[in-house]
Every structure is written in C-alpha cells, then in structure tokens.
Amino acid sequence: MSVGSSAKITIVSGSSRLESRVGAVVGIAAETVAAAGATVEVVPLHELALPVMVYGDRSQDDLPGVQMIRRHAAWADGFVICTPEYHGNMSGCLKNWFDFLYEELAGKFAGVLAVTGGGGGDMSITAVKTSFAWCHGFTLPYHVAARTVDFDAAGNLVNNLVADRIRRVAYDVVRYAPVVRGAFEAARRLGPGVEAGVAGAHT
C-alpha cells in the first residue's frame, strides 16, 4: 500500500559476499519501499569490493565504487541499512561504507536491519545506529533482526512476524525520511548560527 510518498530511498546490503539470507531481507525491504510509493536504489556492497578507506588518500575519490556509493547516498532522502552480525558488530564492509561518507548522510533518516547467527542483533544494530548518528543522521527507534532459524534451507525468510517487522521499518523510512530531510534543509538555509542547530555545521 502506497503512503503517498515521493521519497528516494537507498537500501544498503551490508555483506561482503552474496548471502542468501541478507539478500532475502534486502529483497523484502526493497519490495516494501517500492510498494509504499518511493523510488528505491539498492547498493550491494558485495559487488563493489570497495578498498579499505585510507584517510587523506584523495586518489580513492576517483574510484568508480566510491563515486557510486557517494552518489547514491547524496541522492537519498533516507536509507534502509542491512548488516550481517559478525563478532557482535556490523560487517567490516558496511563500516567501510560509512568511512567513505559523512556529508551525504547528514540530516537523513535510516532504518536498520540485521541478520544474525542466533543472537538478538542488538550489538550490530546499535553499531550501525551509532555510526549513522555520528554522521549527523537520525535513525528509527524500531528495528529488526532475523536469525538463522527464521529462514528455510534455501535462504527464504519464513518467519512472518520478522517479515512484518521488516515491512514496518521500510514503511516508516518512506514516511519519515522526507520530513526529516526537509526540516534539516530548512534549518541549513538559516546559515551557520546556533538557531540552525546541527544543520548549521553543514552550511
């Protein structure tokens, strides 16, 4: 069901390899974002093989993969970010995605999803939300983790309660992302003064 939004949403598949479970979660999110009336782009990090970000190395700015993630992030009003949970944290390739970005995420809105081997996903979800906040972005307080037991042998998500939570996150990102970005951009137009809040740091 469309929520009457013209939002632009980037979905980040935060795995360094083609994982059927991560792909299944990303697929549900992408279908729901489209059904909500938004324009959706998926960034599959496993296809990009981004190099490790080296701070100050301007030659990395010219790499097609780096240009691609920055273009998609700048374009988006909001994000749905999905990570596998590795050692109680987000994947290394997703952290690397964050390291290449900053201004592109400021004043944006995100929902967070995780795929875990059996844990609750709290650590990886918190890590993603923390990184997004440090880029001056805002995250949905609601989130979801899908565990191994929620999938069948082919990697299909068969737990309908988890699938419903993913859809709720996707609908809310479509609903709130344009509002948050609009408010941030309006504040930024006030200039660098304190009345602009944190947006004033991005003028």
Side-chain angles (χ1 to χ4, degrees), residues 80-102:
V80 177
I81 302 173
C82 180
T83 185
E85 185 167 76
Y86 297 150
H87 302 304
N89 213 314
M90 73 175 92
S91 67
C93 72
L94 182 57
K95 178 57 170 65
N96 197 47
W97 176 84
F98 275 110
D99 290 344
F100 277 110
L101 303 171
Y102 174 55

Side-chain angles (χ1 to χ4, degrees), residues 38-112:
T39 303
V40 58
E41 297 286 351
V42 177
V43 174
L45 294 183
H46 67 273
E47 293 182 2
L48 299 182
L50 293 171
V52 173
M53 192 278 288
V54 178
Y55 185 79
D57 183 355
R58 308 310 301 179
S59 68
Q60 290 187 320
D61 295 343
D62 298 325
L63 297 174
V66 173
Q67 292 181 348
M68 184 266 212
I69 64 168
R70 287 176 173 165
R71 184 172 61 253
H72 280 290
W75 166 84
D77 296 314
F79 302 83
V80 177
I81 302 173
C82 180
T83 185
E85 185 167 76
Y86 297 150
H87 302 304
N89 213 314
M90 73 175 92
S91 67
C93 72
L94 182 57
K95 178 57 170 65
N96 197 47
W97 176 84
F98 275 110
D99 290 344
F100 277 110
L101 303 171
Y102 174 55
E103 291 285 352
E104 299 89 350
L105 305 182
K108 306 289 183 70
F109 188 78
V112 182

Side-chain angles (χ1 to χ4, degrees), residues 102-150:
Y102 174 55
E103 291 285 352
E104 299 89 350
L105 305 182
K108 306 289 183 70
F109 188 78
V112 182
L113 313 173
V115 174
T116 79
D122 293 344
M123 299 298 288
S124 57
I125 289 167
T126 298
V128 173
K129 290 187 176 188
T130 299
S131 289
F132 204 83
W134 276 80
C135 293
H136 295 167
F138 305 86
T139 56
L140 186 70
Y142 190 79
H143 48 256
V144 57
R147 301 172 299 161
T148 300
V149 295
D150 297 323

